[in-house]
Amino acid sequence: MLYIKGTALWAKVFEPDTKFVPEGQYTIKVSVPAAEAAELCEQLDSMAQAKLTEVVKEQPKLKALLSTTPAYTPEYDEAGNETGNILFNTKLKAVLTRRDGTKSYQKPIVVDAKRTPMTGKELIGNGSKVTVAIDAVPYMMPATKSVGVSLRLKGVQVIELVEYGASAASMFDEEDGFVTSAVAKDDASDT
């Protein structure tokens, strides 16, 4: 098992996302500064290269046709500029269908900083600090002639929560100063 420590983006870890996969899949992207991600990137690249070597050994005719697909991508801001961070996109199918047609259901473990299970009452928003546990699984996709490593989501530990969908008012601290008239009238009637 490998661990990715970074900033959460687009976490769907309590309910599976069915937009592109009808039976659903759990996903979370993790943004990690490039310097901190270097060792993990090397490890994943090494796994992909080992899979490429294995496939070429089994099917030498494919040597010139195969390419490797990295298990990570650079992160870009809204303007299209690289941020200096690396994105790791982790996924877990909600339903596995076996060859005999039977199905098994799976979901990632989600815990807080003290390893207490989270129920989904508080949703993980972009900017949350997380540690994500993954299984790195090498693959060869015959259709695209590509070799890579799939990052299968196993669990998420939320270190610092930025709650998804928090109200706009919760973004600010209360300060002395201007008070809208509707609130001022309500406060005056309380006395």
Side-chain angles (χ1 to χ4, degrees):
M1 186 142 346
L2 298 173
Y3 297 91
I4 306 169
K5 290 185 175 202
T7 304
L9 297 171
W10 310 111
K12 294 191 182 346
V13 294
F14 295 109
E15 293 294 324
D17 183 4
T18 57
K19 186 173 183 177
F20 300 110
V21 178
E23 290 186 317
Q25 71 179 355
Y26 299 95
T27 62
I28 184 170
K29 290 183 180 184
V30 185
S31 174
V32 181
E36 294 174 25
E39 185 178 329
L40 179 58
C41 291
E42 285 177 26
Q43 205 170 359
L44 295 171
D45 289 345
S46 175
M47 292 173 80
Q49 195 59 46
K51 182 66 175 180
L52 178 66
T53 302
E54 174 190 319
V55 172
V56 168
K57 187 175 182 181
E58 292 170 3
Q59 303 173 49
K61 295 177 197 173
L62 294 177
K63 184 175 183 175
L65 302 173
L66 290 175
S67 64
T68 56
T69 303
Y72 51 88
T73 58
E75 181 183 46
Y76 295 92
D77 62 17
E78 296 83 22
N81 302 313
E82 285 194 31
T83 64
N85 292 340
I86 302 294
L87 277 181
F88 296 92
N89 190 14
T90 69
K91 299 177 183 179
L92 178 68
K93 289 182 180 180
V95 180
L96 290 177
T97 305
R98 294 185 190 89
R99 291 182 186 185
D100 66 3
T102 60
K103 296 182 182 209
S104 65
Y105 300 87
Q106 56 185 1
K107 67 187 306 183
I109 296 167
V110 184
V111 297
D112 66 13
K114 300 292 183 197
R115 299 186 309 203
T116 304
M118 293 176 66
T119 61
K121 183 178 156 224
E122 304 97 359
L123 297 179
I124 302 167
N126 292 351
S128 296
K129 300 295 180 202
V130 296
T131 299
V132 176
I134 60 163
D135 277 341
V137 182
Y139 67 85
M140 192 287 233
M141 194 173 297
T144 60
K145 304 281 188 281
S146 64
V147 176
V149 178
S150 174
L151 306 181
R152 293 196 186 149
L153 174 62
K154 292 299 178 187
V156 178
Q157 182 178 30
V158 179
I159 308 302
E160 291 178 27
L161 179 67
V162 174
E163 195 168 353
Y164 173 80
S167 71
S170 67
M171 292 188 300
F172 302 100
D173 292 331
E174 190 171 314
E175 304 257 356
D176 288 331
F178 172 76
V179 178
T180 186
S181 59
V183 174
K185 287 179 186 171
D186 287 345
D187 288 345
S189 65
D190 290 343
T191 54

